[in-house]
């Protein structure tokens, strides 16, 4: 089973940038999809970005497309989320996730199967 640990969260002013990292360990060869999700206070968790690990095809939520970039470093078993032009509405706990099943990595309605503990991102206006 894969273990996921996020880092890189913090506080930033609107318009700023942050880069989140997710270190994967354990049985990492089974990761078919990897993705980033977020949950703001009082709201449901939502998909932000997904990536098919073998083809590197990426998927983005409409709210972050053009501002966020998901990428991977296979040699380091690390997933990244580069976040630019941050807005106060991006404030949330961000979670890294993985799924070993054959599936659409950008279909947020299908829950991923492995999750990190989350990292807080706060954007002030």
């Amino acid at each position: 089973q894969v273990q996921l640990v996020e880092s890189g969260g913090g506080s930033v002013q609107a318009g700023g940038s942050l880069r989140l990292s997710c270190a994967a360990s354990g049985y990492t060869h089974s990761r078919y999809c990897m993705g980033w999700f977020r949950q703001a206070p009082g709201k449901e968790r939502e998909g932000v970005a997904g990536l098919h690990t073998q083809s590197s095809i990426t998927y983005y939520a409409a709210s972050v497309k053009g501002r966020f970039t998901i990428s991977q470093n296979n040699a380091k078993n690390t997933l990244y989320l580069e976040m630019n032009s941050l807005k106060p509405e991006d404030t949330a706990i961000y979670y890294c996730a993985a799924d070993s099943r054959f599936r659409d990595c950008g279909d947020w309605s299908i829950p991923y199967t492995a999750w990190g503990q989350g990292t807080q991102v706060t954007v002030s206006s």
Side-chain angles (χ1 to χ4, degrees):
Q1 186 167 349
V2 64
Q3 291 81 45
L4 305 170
V5 179
E6 303 96 335
S7 61
S11 297
V12 65
Q13 289 192 328
S17 299
L18 282 174
R19 188 176 81 157
L20 305 182
S21 299
C22 172
S25 61
Y27 190 60
T28 58
H29 298 293
S30 65
R31 295 173 293 129
Y32 184 83
C33 299
M34 291 202 72
W36 290 95
F37 293 73
R38 67 187 182 187
Q39 187 165 20
K43 294 188 177 181
E44 293 188 353
R45 185 175 61 196
E46 62 176 352
V48 174
L51 179 146
H52 180 243
T53 58
Q54 295 183 8
S55 68
S56 294
I57 294 174
T58 57
Y59 307 84
Y60 295 96
S63 59
V64 306
K65 198 168 187 178
R67 301 188 298 121
F68 290 12
T69 302
I70 187 172
S71 62
Q72 62 179 339
N73 183 324
N74 286 331
K76 295 183 178 180
N77 286 325
T78 303
L79 183 75
Y80 302 100
L81 185 67
E82 186 75 35
M83 304 185 294
N84 298 315
S85 302
L86 283 162
K87 305 174 181 180
E89 50 264 43
D90 294 318
T91 295
I93 299 175
Y94 283 71
Y95 297 92
C96 174
D99 197 333
S100 62
R101 300 172 297 176
F102 178 78
R103 53 162 293 166
D104 180 349
C105 301
D107 185 346
W108 316 123
S109 68
I110 304 174
Y112 278 45
T113 56
W115 296 87
Q117 82 289 348
T119 185
Q120 177 72 46
V121 171
T122 303
V123 184
S124 58
S125 57

